[in-house]
Amino acid sequence: MKTTTEMIAKEGWKPIGAGLLLLLFSGLFGWKIFGFLCFLATLCLIYFYRNTERIMEDNANDSILSPLDGVIKNIENKSDGIYLQISKPICFCGMIRMPLANLGKCGEALEIEHIKGLKNGDEMTGERITLAFHREADKTPTSTLYLTLYPKYFAQTSLYLWDSNFRLGERIGFFLNGNATLKIPLNSELRVNIHDKILGGKTLLGKVQSIQNEGDSKKTQDTYDSKDEQ
């Protein structure tokens, strides 16, 4: 079934169904304490697998939205981009969303790497899945985003990439628990800080300049410099 807007993510249907079944059996056999525990567990599962709607803070063409819920643990500038280290607790909504695309049009999301490993959330020994995001008709290195997911423990990870084209904020997958690294272009203006809580499809992480915009800015600066010299 190729739908992603259910109130409960499809990944949660089986565990929630199992919880309801255990709750039914506990009621039939009069296991009050066990039934109460099953009830609490089922409520927790419903919360973990919720699929909430989001309103974008900014939907301009140069916007970078958060692709998932989490807390920013570190921000590091490197020669090839700005790296955001993100922790994704199990209690945060697990939907992965398209972080960039031109308004009214679709961007591209591709799975470019999937390396098996331990589900420990570790960058060295853990399983990792890497996605690449391109804005429409703009696949230059200075405009590409990379999201790497590191599942932890029993975390479920699903990708809804039956198509490669998605609108800004559209659901493209599910990530229950673990860590993530988001690499954004160096020519980006960050709008978040370490320890900030971010929401997928809503929080504005930053603004990225296209090569054309950078060229226009440089021409404008050169014009001002020339006037100052005169």
Side-chain angles (χ1 to χ4, degrees):
M1 181 167 49
K2 296 182 178 181
T3 59
T4 61
T5 57
E6 298 83 7
M7 293 181 62
I8 303 297
K10 294 190 289 290
E11 290 77 8
W13 293 357
K14 288 184 178 180
I16 292 173
L20 291 174
L21 188 61
L22 290 174
L23 183 60
L24 176 62
F25 276 117
S26 62
L28 291 175
F29 291 100
W31 301 336
K32 294 182 179 180
I33 296 178
F34 182 72
F36 179 70
L37 294 176
C38 289
F39 175 72
L40 291 180
T42 303
L43 287 181
C44 289
L45 288 171
I46 292 173
Y47 184 73
F48 295 159
Y49 288 98
R50 68 194 184 279
N51 185 3
T52 57
E53 295 293 335
R54 294 284 166 77
I55 298 176
M56 294 175 280
E57 291 181 351
D58 194 327
N59 60 1
N61 289 342
D62 59 349
S63 297
I64 301 175
L65 297 181
S66 174
L68 76 170
D69 287 21
V71 177
I72 298 177
K73 293 300 184 181
N74 191 36
I75 299 175
E76 184 177 1
N77 287 323
K78 296 185 179 181
S79 59
D80 60 339
I82 303 173
Y83 289 75
L84 279 65
Q85 306 292 335
I86 303 169
S87 173
K88 163 59 176 72
I90 192 173
C91 58
F92 285 28
C93 180
M95 303 308 300
I96 305 172
R97 302 173 192 255
M98 187 68 183
L100 79 170
N102 287 338
L103 183 61
K105 299 182 180 180
C106 292
E108 185 178 50
L110 300 170
E111 180 183 355
I112 61 173
E113 182 183 60
H114 189 173
I115 297 179
K116 297 293 185 179
L118 302 174
K119 287 196 174 184
N120 56 6
D122 184 72
E123 296 184 6
M124 299 297 294
T125 61
E127 178 182 2
R128 67 176 181 266
I129 303 169
T130 301
L131 304 174
F133 303 104
H134 307 287
R135 204 179 305 277
E136 184 213 20
D138 189 0
K139 298 183 180 180
T140 61
T142 57
S143 63
T144 302
L145 270 64
Y146 296 94
L147 175 66
T148 303
L149 305 172
Y150 302 95
K152 185 183 294 184
Y153 308 134
F154 54 89
Q156 291 174 280
T157 305
S158 304
L159 298 177
Y160 312 149
L161 302 182
W162 48 74
D163 189 5
S164 61
N165 298 315
F166 299 90
R167 298 184 303 276
L168 182 66
E170 187 174 356
R171 300 165 177 86
I172 61 172
F174 183 86
F175 181 54
L176 182 62
N177 181 36
N179 299 316
T181 299
L182 180 65
K183 174 188 170 186
I184 65 176
L186 282 171
N187 58 335
S188 302
E189 179 187 352
L190 283 182
R191 302 293 179 87
V192 291
N193 296 301
I194 297 175
H195 304 310
D196 281 358
K197 178 182 176 181
I198 55 177
L199 301 177
K202 178 178 181 177
T203 303
L204 177 67
L205 297 181
K207 297 279 191 173
V208 61
Q209 292 182 328
S210 66
I211 295 178
Q212 180 178 359
N213 289 340
E214 288 181 335
D216 292 342
S217 299
K218 188 176 185 302
K219 288 179 182 178
T220 303
Q221 185 63 43
D222 290 343
T223 301
Y224 285 136
D225 292 342
S226 299
K227 288 182 180 180
D228 291 339
E229 290 177 0
Q230 292 176 359

